[in-house]
Amino acid sequence: MNQAPNPTMRAAEWVLLLILSLLWGGSFFFAKIAVGELPPLLVVLLRVAIAAIILLAVLRLTGLSSPRDGRSWRNLFIMGLLNNAIPFALFFWAQTHIPSGLAAILNGTTPLFGVIVAQLVGQERMTVARVIGVLLGIVGVAVMIGPALLAGLGSDAIAEIACLCAALSYAFAGVFGRHYLRALQPMVTATGQLIATTVVMVPVVALTVPGLGALHPSLTVIGAMIGLAVLSTALAYVLYFRILAAAGSTNLLLVTQVMPITTILLSWGFLGEHLQARHLAGMAIIALGFAATDGRVFQRLKRPAPSLGR
């Protein structure tokens, strides 16, 4: 199979990626609060169901309609499993055993898996610069979050493996969505995959989560679920599919390495937390990784200098 050319990120896609990192960066925070009182699988169901209802209403208001052919819905169900049901369940369960920061580090491996999967299916070319860039991004995330969490790496191997499996599932989702869902509009794709995931999760929760009627979540948990569903899911997925269509799966998955940067900058700007040397060092390493992944900076450096005529 001929390798497809690697798409590059324009300024508009970088802006959308930063916004998406803000929305998804909050998902670890919201999820950690929610799983403190609710079973992880129920959190998954509530997240996708609430978001699906919101986007379905938006879909109707904008005059768009859901797909009517079986092939599109089959692909949306597969996307829902790869992009929602499997990774959400794994990450939410893992966060009952390991800190959110460690989960974020492991989530930062998603672009590396994305590069490998895209290469295997012939969707995008794997280049040395791209692999180096992704590895630098993972190192940068680890440096920013700090040595304390890294010291705990390996303390709960099953939860950590679950996070890596979730990251791999995200990688497959990015590649699958770009190939099989590119004919659908981003809003339609976002809504359809959330509806599909809700249909899948209803029987799963009904069969595996006993005593649903006895649950009485606090207002804090209810607020976290609203944030998780509205901001980190409904709005985030509209942006996700726009970036996927324009910039490709490998570039899109870089959002997992931008998320810690936006979280730290928000804490510094709005909560008065101090920026430490490791934060700045990690950001610099991630920026260097992005430059390597994008490739255009290094291509310009390789160009021979124009000769000066007499």
Side-chain angles (χ1 to χ4, degrees):
M1 180 182 294
N2 293 329
Q3 298 291 330
N6 293 334
T8 56
M9 295 276 282
R10 299 172 301 177
E13 278 83 54
W14 278 113
V15 171
L16 291 178
L17 193 77
L18 289 173
I19 297 173
L20 182 59
S21 74
L22 289 172
L23 298 173
W24 272 353
S27 67
F28 286 96
F29 171 75
F30 292 136
K32 190 67 176 179
I33 295 173
V35 298
E37 296 183 21
L38 299 175
L41 290 179
L42 180 59
V43 175
V44 175
L45 173 58
L46 292 174
R47 177 180 184 176
V48 297
I50 296 171
I53 293 170
I54 293 170
L55 286 188
L56 191 59
V58 174
L59 205 66
R60 294 292 182 263
L61 290 174
T62 55
L64 297 172
S65 59
S66 300
R68 300 184 183 277
D69 60 293
R71 177 178 294 181
S72 293
W73 277 109
R74 180 201 64 190
N75 292 337
L76 287 168
F77 268 90
I78 295 173
M79 188 67 176
L81 286 172
L82 293 174
N83 210 35
N84 298 328
I86 293 173
F88 288 178
L90 290 173
F91 268 125
F92 292 169
W93 175 81
Q95 284 185 265
T96 64
H97 296 272
I98 61 176
S100 296
L102 181 53
I105 292 175
L106 297 171
N107 188 41
T109 63
T110 300
L112 180 60
F113 287 125
V115 168
I116 295 171
V117 173
Q119 165 71 19
L120 290 176
V121 302
Q123 192 175 95
E124 296 175 20
R125 289 183 293 106
M126 180 188 294
T127 63
V128 174
R130 178 160 285 195
V131 173
I132 291 174
V134 171
L135 291 175
L136 283 172
I138 296 172
V139 171
V141 171
V143 168
M144 269 200 308
I145 293 178
L149 285 178
L150 289 177
L153 191 64
S155 60
D156 197 321
I158 296 178
E160 291 158 11
I161 290 172
C163 289
L164 291 175
C165 290
L168 179 60
S169 186
Y170 279 140
F172 275 107
V175 171
F176 180 87
R178 180 166 172 79
H179 183 73
Y180 290 100
L181 296 172
R182 57 187 176 185
L184 299 178
Q185 295 190 32
M187 179 68 74
V188 174
T189 306
T191 306
Q193 59 132 18
L194 288 170
I195 292 173
T197 310
T198 302
V199 172
V200 170
M201 291 305 302
V202 166
V204 171
V205 170
L207 292 173
T208 61
V209 182
L212 291 175
L215 295 173
H216 300 288
S218 63
L219 289 177
T220 301
V221 169
I222 293 173
M225 282 306 316
I226 293 173
L228 188 61
V230 177
L231 300 177
S232 300
T233 309
L235 180 55
Y237 270 137
V238 175
L239 299 182
Y240 172 94
F241 286 107
R242 285 187 180 277
I243 301 171
L244 180 62
S249 58
T250 302
N251 287 325
L252 168 64
L253 296 177
L254 292 174
V255 69
T256 59
Q257 295 176 345
V258 183
M259 285 158 53
I261 297 177
T262 55
T263 300
I264 288 170
L265 291 178
L266 283 174
S267 299
W268 169 66
F270 293 97
L271 300 179
E273 296 184 5
H274 296 291
L275 281 175
Q276 300 181 24
R278 73 168 191 270
H279 297 151
L280 299 176
M283 291 178 197
I285 295 171
I286 291 174
L288 183 61
F290 286 165
T293 302
D294 186 74
R296 283 176 289 185
V297 173
F298 296 101
Q299 287 173 6
R300 289 173 183 171
L301 292 176
K302 288 180 181 179
R303 290 176 185 170
S307 58
L308 296 176
R310 290 180 180 267

